[in-house]
Amino acid sequence: MKATLILANGSIFEGQSIGSTEDCVCEMVFNTSMVGYQEILTDPSYAGQGIVMSYPLIGNYGVNSEDNESSRPWGEAFVVRHLSRRGSNFRCEGDLDDYLKEHGITGIQGVDTRAITRILRSQGTMNGMITCAEDFCIQDVLKTVEAYRVKGTVERVTRKAVQVYPPLIRQKLRVALMDFGVKENMIRCLQSRGCEVTVFPAHTTAQEILAGRYDGVMLSNGPGDPSDNVAIIQEIRDLYDAGIPIFAVCLGHQLMALATGASTRKMRFGHRGANHPVKDLDAGRVFITSQNHGYVVCAESVSPEVAAVSHVNVNEGSVEGLRYKNGNVYTVQFHPEASPGPKDTEYLFDRFIRRMEGGAW
């Protein structure tokens, strides 16, 4: 079936429908990863967004029940150059097209994803619509596309009840994890280091967390504009003031910055992929990282009395990590659990364990 992608700037791309045939309006972003499409689709940070895969061949190893990063896909739409109709891998349990259909994700293939990526890079992230209708009015579509806003996403993706995950080895510590859209592997990284992980809904109060007498708190990744989460930011401020060890990733990193007086801004097209070089200024080393974010902490807004920049993006110098002067908080923008290198930055979890045990970061 014919499908059409219409971007907010009026660009039109015709291709073939994959997945659901329902009309879909969302914010269009691109990802430069060559593999990991199932993990990308199930990353809650993509709520409200359509994903353009810049690598031309997607779906060639199929899908399976082990690679999900959450209980369901959160990507709103999926755009590829060529969708492999058959997965070839010993772990394959189904094909990607059926997976998209099963979960109601609208998609399109046979379009020039390189041209779409260049538009999003040069003009910035923008809204778009995928439709299978052939008689659409472009003016009406553009009005609908322009009116779309990504909002309320943290409330959509967070779990509704507390959930406890037992340690995978002998228990050493108890961690409270704030779920703003957490990826499952983040929980596993703590479990494999002897942590019992209690995962709390996003709007849990600091008082409830502190009453549990946990050894540390982790603030997870998640979707949307960090400044929208006013109530959550206040609770994070209260956790900061309590002096408990805190490790924060992605959205959690941004929320902690906002809670301590810094500011954030929306990037032109964000960082999404498994090949972003980041320099650890303390170690003097560059690591290849996995990233998925459209907002960033403004370096000039970080008070030197509160925190120091610990990591920077090698490509354009943006803030990728903050080390807080109170000695109990460390935050990074990238995903140390995502293993692009494959496990280069998991050392940050070891630092968190060491801090909870009374050592230094």
Side-chain angles (χ1 to χ4, degrees):
M1 181 182 294
K2 178 182 175 182
T4 307
L5 168 63
I6 305 103
L7 296 178
N9 69 348
S11 298
I12 297 176
F13 296 86
E14 294 183 349
Q16 298 83 47
S17 171
I18 57 175
S20 171
T21 57
E22 294 293 320
D23 288 355
C24 180
V25 180
C26 54
E27 181 181 63
M28 305 303 301
V29 300
F30 67 89
N31 187 297
T32 57
S33 300
M34 298 173 67
V35 294
Y37 47 82
Q38 188 174 344
E39 291 90 337
I40 290 166
L41 283 165
T42 55
D43 180 351
S45 297
Y46 280 109
Q49 296 177 328
I51 307 158
V52 179
M53 300 298 294
S54 65
Y55 187 69
L57 177 61
I58 300 296
N60 52 309
Y61 55 87
V63 295
N64 62 72
S65 57
E66 298 178 3
D67 289 346
N68 293 326
E69 285 291 354
S70 60
S71 60
R72 50 158 286 189
W74 288 101
E76 306 289 341
F78 205 51
V79 181
V80 300
R81 178 69 183 91
H82 176 74
L83 179 74
S84 177
R85 292 293 179 179
R86 183 175 63 183
S88 177
N89 185 275
F90 73 98
R91 297 168 67 237
C92 178
E93 298 173 3
D95 65 69
L96 181 55
D97 190 27
D98 287 342
Y99 182 83
L100 296 174
K101 286 184 171 68
E102 176 187 353
H103 294 284
I105 300 171
T106 300
I108 185 172
Q109 74 151 338
V111 293
D112 189 343
T113 51
R114 190 164 99 168
I116 298 169
T117 299
R118 292 188 67 177
I119 289 172
L120 298 178
R121 279 183 59 89
S122 61
Q123 299 181 34
T125 295
M126 65 182 70
N127 294 342
M129 171 187 266
I130 298 177
T131 181
C132 291
E134 297 193 21
D135 58 349
F136 61 84
C137 172
I138 186 64
Q139 288 79 14
D140 291 342
V141 168
L142 291 177
K143 287 179 182 178
T144 301
V145 166
E146 181 62 29
Y148 178 79
R149 294 291 181 272
V150 178
K151 57 184 179 180
T153 47
V154 169
E155 286 74 13
R156 283 176 54 198
V157 303
T158 188
R159 66 198 63 206
K160 308 307 177 187
V162 176
Q163 190 170 355
V164 179
Y165 293 78
L168 298 178
I169 60 174
R170 181 179 60 85
Q171 182 173 337
K172 298 187 293 183
L173 299 161
R174 296 171 62 244
V175 174
L177 191 152
M178 299 292 289
D179 176 17
F180 308 129
V182 67
K183 294 168 66 179
E184 289 294 323
N185 202 40
M186 198 171 293
I187 298 172
R188 288 192 291 267
C189 283
L190 293 170
Q191 289 178 286
S192 66
R193 289 166 171 79
C195 296
E196 177 190 80
V197 184
T198 304
V199 185
F200 289 89
H203 287 281
T204 303
T205 65
Q207 182 179 5
E208 184 177 347
I209 298 292
L210 296 171
R213 296 186 174 275
Y214 296 96
D215 298 295
V217 176
M218 184 153 190
L219 309 180
S220 83
N221 62 291
D225 184 343
S227 64
D228 288 343
N229 302 285
V230 177
I232 294 174
I233 291 168
Q234 181 55 55
E235 298 302 330
I236 291 175
R237 177 70 204 192
D238 292 344
L239 289 172
Y240 175 87
D241 290 340
I244 188 170
I246 299 174
F247 180 38
V249 169
C250 199
L251 179 64
H253 155 82
Q254 298 163 6
L255 294 174
M256 178 58 72
L258 291 170
T260 53
S263 60
T264 57
R265 64 174 174 84
K266 188 170 185 178
M267 308 173 78
R268 177 182 288 272
F269 51 82
H271 295 157
R272 296 176 182 87
N275 53 359
H276 290 265
V278 168
K279 185 172 184 179
D280 183 329
L281 300 179
D282 296 327
R285 290 185 58 190
V286 173
F287 297 93
I288 299 302
T289 69
S290 178
Q291 303 201 11
N292 174 18
H293 63 102
Y295 292 82
V296 67
V297 175
C298 302
E300 66 279 5
S301 72
V302 178
S303 169
E305 297 178 358
V306 175
V309 175
S310 61
H311 295 73
V312 296
N313 190 286
V314 175
N315 289 335
E316 32 78 311
S318 62
V319 175
E320 293 278 1
L322 291 169
R323 182 180 62 255
Y324 284 76
K325 296 298 181 67
N326 71 354
N328 276 326
V329 181
Y330 205 104
T331 72
V332 293
Q333 180 64 75
F334 52 91
H335 285 261
E337 85 291 342
S339 307
K343 298 185 178 180
D344 294 348
T345 54
E346 278 195 18
Y347 71 90
L348 292 167
F349 288 100
D350 298 325
R351 285 186 180 181
F352 184 38
I353 299 297
R354 187 165 63 242
R355 183 67 191 121
M356 288 190 289
E357 292 177 331
W361 289 101

